[in-house]
Amino acid sequence: QGCDPFAQTQRSKLQHRRARINQQINKEMRMRAGAENLFRATSNHKVKETVALELSYVNSNLQLLKEELEELNSSVDVYQNDSESISVPMIPLGLKETKELDLLAPLKDFISDHYREEGILFEKEIKEFMELRQAMRTPSRNEAGIELLMEYYNQLYFFDSRFFPPTKSLGVFFHWYDSLTGVPSHQRALAFEKGSVLFNIGALHTQIGARQDRAALPGLNQAIDAFQKAAGAFNYLKENFSNAPSLDMSAASLNMLVRLMVAQVQECVFEKMTFLRAQHDFLTRLQLAQEAARVEDVYSLVHQTMTQAHVKDYVPFSWTTMVHVKSEHFKALSHYFAAIALCDCPAASDAELPEHEKAFIQFHVTMPEGPSLRVLLQDPEERRKLGKAHLKKAIMKHEEAMRIHGLCKILRKMDILQEVLSFAHKCSLSKYSEIDHEEDFFETGDAPDIHPKTHQKPEIKSPNFSQVKVTDLFHRLGPLSVFSAKNKWYPARRVHLMRGENGFGFTLRGDSPVLIAGVIPGGCAAEAGLKEGDYIISVNGKDCKWSKHAEVVQLLKSTGEEGVEITVITL
């Protein structure tokens, strides 16, 4: 079962709007194609002018629709959780929309032509498959929704083997809309259907991750798991499906999405560390500073990826801005925690000194100027000076994050992000004024950057398709080893056999279906025209495609003097 498509939840309203915009984009693009063809074909100057005017109108419509879809893709707040606590919003993806598909006639025809069975007898199975596809269009935003998509994806393996011969097309088009641009694409290849379902598995994981309450450890762990699985789905798609016709499934786009998910995992890991490392000692604060530097590092990489020439045109501006804001914000936090470690924690005692020295040697990207490490760690005034330099840098980075945030109209509406940024900025400012002495005449130096380091590396978790067991809906057609789209066989032959002195004159081998392994020359089977390599598909009218060796032997043995009628096929 999918979700109720008419339920008026915030998320379903978004998905309905997405579907409506997709359809309008489709209509405008068809009009544009028609107008362009007419423009090329006509030599009449007046007609050319009219068509050019029409084209500019269609293009401006398309631009407006693209902007509306971008705003929709930026509605990250709808996917967040409802708890009172303040968490930085995460970026989820909207699901790809698809058109309904009527498979009844093409599958019945294929079953009649290829399998030589009555197509009408398989209407129940065909309808069941179509219902599963319909349900998969509106998965619920939880584990059951993921399982529904997985079930359909696994069913496509059987569907492919049954109905997609290597040389001939089923004649059905799979239509899917691009998640980021809304542009429709269609292909006859089932790989496009599989890839689009896989994309939606990743997208649904992003929505599950974004809705977790990250103010508590269980929610954080679930968010980490969901974003790791999203990264795994997009990575699997990138490695196994190439030449997709839509931009959202191009290698560049999927690479960007994998990196974005890894960054969101890293951000959750930082939040988790702030929970687990509640102690206020020197080493813990250094660890948090390095965790924050690691988050800044991965978001900088995502920002670079999003601003590449062939990616930036279709990634929503609000995503690029948010990623940029986060990289500045976490850089500021890394300097803030470094300052707190130096200014709020007591100077190292002789016993603690070796451990503190070891941690501090690997802490900065380049060693800070000034006294030796030992003096720095044991002299409160030197610690305050370096702490002040770190705070100065933190405040600059907080201000930069707020400036970039202010450039994006959509992000400006997002109060929660504004709150997080200004709260962090105030913390750094108040700490600075607390440690700033009026008699400070030294020039505050430039603090070196902090070496990124994490205690939990993000994993890219590939989809575990085997967790959802499915049975082939079309198993009545027979075992796939023989009865598949890639195999061809001669029309079934009915043979009447009488038992001779030496039995029926053939030997059998294998199961489902049982194979005639040898035919004794001059025996009953040879005279009836049976050949080595024939498969027995029925005995006395009983279907034996799935029968075991022993079952077929028993059926043959139980025949009387009137003999036995068997049906065989030859590949």
Side-chain angles (χ1 to χ4, degrees):
Q1 284 281 304
C3 285
D4 172 8
F6 301 107
Q8 290 297 302
T9 63
Q10 286 279 57
R11 176 172 157 267
S12 71
K13 282 179 189 168
L14 274 192
Q15 207 63 37
H16 284 316
R17 266 183 70 200
R18 180 184 293 279
R20 180 182 57 75
I21 296 168
N22 283 341
Q23 282 159 7
Q24 286 176 294
I25 288 175
N26 190 14
K27 184 176 148 197
E28 295 289 344
M29 286 186 75
R30 294 210 320 252
M31 282 171 67
R32 183 167 76 176
E36 282 172 344
N37 288 341
L38 182 56
F39 189 83
R40 282 194 290 269
T42 185
S43 51
N44 183 320
H45 189 63
K46 194 100 181 126
V47 172
K48 255 186 159 53
E49 265 183 23
T50 312
V51 173
L53 189 67
E54 181 66 26
L55 266 172
S56 68
Y57 174 69
V58 168
N59 282 331
S60 69
N61 267 2
L62 273 169
Q63 186 56 37
L64 288 170
L65 286 166
K66 190 181 164 201
E67 284 167 17
E68 196 181 342
L69 187 68
E70 181 174 329
E71 191 175 338
L72 199 67
N73 279 324
S74 306
S75 306
V76 298
D77 45 341
V78 169
Y79 294 96
Q80 313 301 319
N81 69 76
D82 303 326
S83 86
E84 294 299 308
S85 62
I86 297 177
S87 303
V88 184
M90 293 291 182
I91 296 176
L93 271 83
L95 300 179
K96 282 172 80 73
E97 286 280 335
T98 179
K99 287 186 180 177
E100 272 186 48
L101 196 57
D102 188 357
L103 293 163
L104 205 55
L107 289 189
K108 278 184 352 191
D109 289 350
F110 191 86
I111 289 169
S112 302
D113 296 347
H114 185 79
Y115 291 98
R116 298 192 175 87
E117 301 257 11
E118 286 285 332
I120 202 160
L121 299 176
F122 287 86
E123 274 193 4
K124 180 175 166 284
E125 284 92 337
I126 298 170
K127 283 180 177 162
E128 208 175 315
F129 181 83
M130 282 163 60
E131 280 165 15
L132 177 61
R133 188 180 192 274
Q134 188 61 16
M136 159 294 297
R137 294 174 68 189
T138 55
S140 53
R141 195 162 42 130
N142 52 25
E143 204 50 46
I146 296 289
E147 283 180 12
L148 175 63
L149 287 167
M150 290 254 197
E151 183 186 344
Y152 181 66
Y153 184 88
N154 287 348
Q155 202 57 251
L156 288 176
Y157 161 77
F158 294 115
F159 193 67
D160 191 9
S161 306
R162 295 284 187 197
F163 300 109
F164 284 80
T167 51
K168 186 178 155 217
S169 156
L170 189 59
V172 171
F173 279 104
F174 298 100
H175 291 259
W176 286 84
Y177 292 93
D178 190 301
S179 168
L180 299 172
T181 64
V183 173
S185 304
H186 61 268
Q187 271 195 353
R188 283 197 175 105
L190 193 66
F192 183 42
E193 177 91 344
K194 282 183 183 170
S196 300
V197 174
L198 196 51
F199 185 94
N200 276 357
I201 289 173
L204 194 57
H205 276 305
T206 69
Q207 295 181 13
I208 292 169
R211 79 180 299 194
Q212 299 305 323
D213 178 6
R214 304 196 318 277
L217 268 178
L220 270 171
N221 285 328
Q222 282 164 339
I224 288 172
D225 186 55
F227 289 127
Q228 288 186 152
K229 285 175 174 170
F234 296 133
N235 197 51
Y236 186 86
L237 185 54
K238 185 181 80 174
E239 287 176 354
N240 293 283
F241 295 85
S242 50
N243 308 322
S246 64
L247 275 172
D248 54 359
M249 285 158 66
S250 67
S253 174
L254 292 169
N255 189 39
M256 176 272 291
L257 291 174
V258 171
R259 285 178 174 177
L260 173 62
M261 293 311 128
V262 166
Q264 298 196 142
V265 172
Q266 200 70 65
E267 185 179 345
C268 293
V269 168
F270 169 78
E271 293 173 340
K272 186 176 166 181
M273 287 302 156
T274 58
F275 270 107
L276 298 176
R277 307 267 193 274
Q279 320 88 304
H280 299 316
D281 61 288
F282 181 69
L283 295 176
T284 301
R285 294 287 169 70
L286 292 191
Q287 279 179 0
L288 284 175
Q290 290 190 302
E291 283 287 353
R294 177 74 190 137
V295 181
E296 182 260 329
D297 213 30
V298 286
Y299 271 121
S300 292
L301 180 64
V302 178
H303 186 248
Q304 277 172 29
T305 316
M306 282 183 172
T307 48
Q308 281 170 356
H310 45 292
V311 180
K312 70 168 192 265
D313 296 336
Y314 57 87
V315 172
F317 178 60
S318 62
W319 287 16
T320 314
T321 311
M322 192 191 274
V323 161
H324 196 183
V325 165
K326 284 187 176 187
S327 78
E328 297 293 341
H329 171 66
F330 281 99
K331 186 160 193 147
L333 286 184
S334 72
H335 285 285
Y336 171 76
F337 278 111
I340 294 287
L342 290 160
C343 302
D344 283 11
C345 301
S349 65
D350 289 340
E352 292 170 329
L353 196 60
E355 198 183 357
H356 285 204
E357 268 189 289
K358 188 182 166 195
F360 210 69
I361 253 172
Q362 300 162 354
F363 182 68
H364 290 99
V365 175
T366 53
M367 277 307 286
E369 291 169 9
S372 72
L373 203 53
R374 185 162 288 238
V375 173
L376 173 65
L377 288 172
Q378 291 196 301
D379 180 347
E381 183 54 23
E382 288 299 338
R383 285 171 76 120
R384 184 180 73 86
K385 275 186 188 173
L386 182 57
K388 193 174 171 186
H390 275 299
L391 278 173
K392 184 180 161 191
K393 203 156 194 176
I395 291 163
M396 277 166 58
K397 288 294 165 189
H398 284 308
E399 284 166 0
E400 181 61 5
M402 288 158 82
R403 184 191 71 79
I404 297 162
H405 174 266
L407 295 176
C408 179
K409 184 179 81 188
I410 292 167
L411 289 194
R412 282 203 302 272
K413 293 181 196 164
M414 213 176 287
D415 302 340
I416 198 155
L417 188 56
Q418 181 82 48
E419 274 182 68
V420 171
L421 296 176
S422 58
F423 177 74
H425 182 229
K426 280 178 192 148
C427 286
S428 290
L429 280 175
S430 77
K431 191 83 229 161
Y432 189 85
S433 59
E434 186 189 311
I435 65 162
D436 186 28
H437 296 171
E438 279 180 20
E439 61 274 15
D440 278 356
F441 292 115
F442 61 83
E443 180 71 39
T444 306
D446 189 26
D449 278 337
I450 287 125
H451 187 67
K453 188 178 174 187
T454 183
H455 290 74
Q456 184 181 335
K457 281 189 85 165
E459 269 181 81
I460 294 178
K461 288 189 175 176
S462 287
N464 178 15
F465 298 112
S466 61
Q467 76 183 50
V468 180
K469 300 279 183 279
V470 299
T471 51
D472 177 9
L473 285 175
F474 295 91
H475 74 279
R476 281 200 300 132
L477 288 170
L480 265 174
S481 56
V482 174
F483 301 94
S484 68
K486 71 173 190 287
N487 287 338
K488 288 188 174 146
W489 48 90
Y490 295 103
R493 311 194 308 284
R494 281 175 124 162
V495 176
H496 194 263
L497 286 182
M498 302 298 286
R499 191 196 297 273
E501 288 174 20
N502 301 322
F504 290 109
F506 57 56
T507 53
L508 303 179
R509 188 180 74 222
D511 294 321
S512 315
V514 172
L515 175 80
I516 296 177
V519 177
I520 298 162
C524 310
E527 281 177 17
L530 290 180
K531 295 195 272 302
E532 192 180 312
D534 283 348
Y535 287 101
I536 297 176
I537 59 168
S538 80
V539 175
N540 282 340
K542 183 183 186 310
D543 192 313
C544 292
K545 287 181 192 146
W546 285 99
S547 298
K548 298 271 185 270
H549 183 275
E551 291 166 0
V552 172
V553 169
Q554 191 54 44
L555 282 171
L556 291 170
K557 274 185 178 170
S558 61
T559 54
E561 289 174 7
E562 71 282 3
V564 62
E565 193 160 274
I566 66 172
T567 309
V568 294
I569 56 157
T570 311
L571 283 182

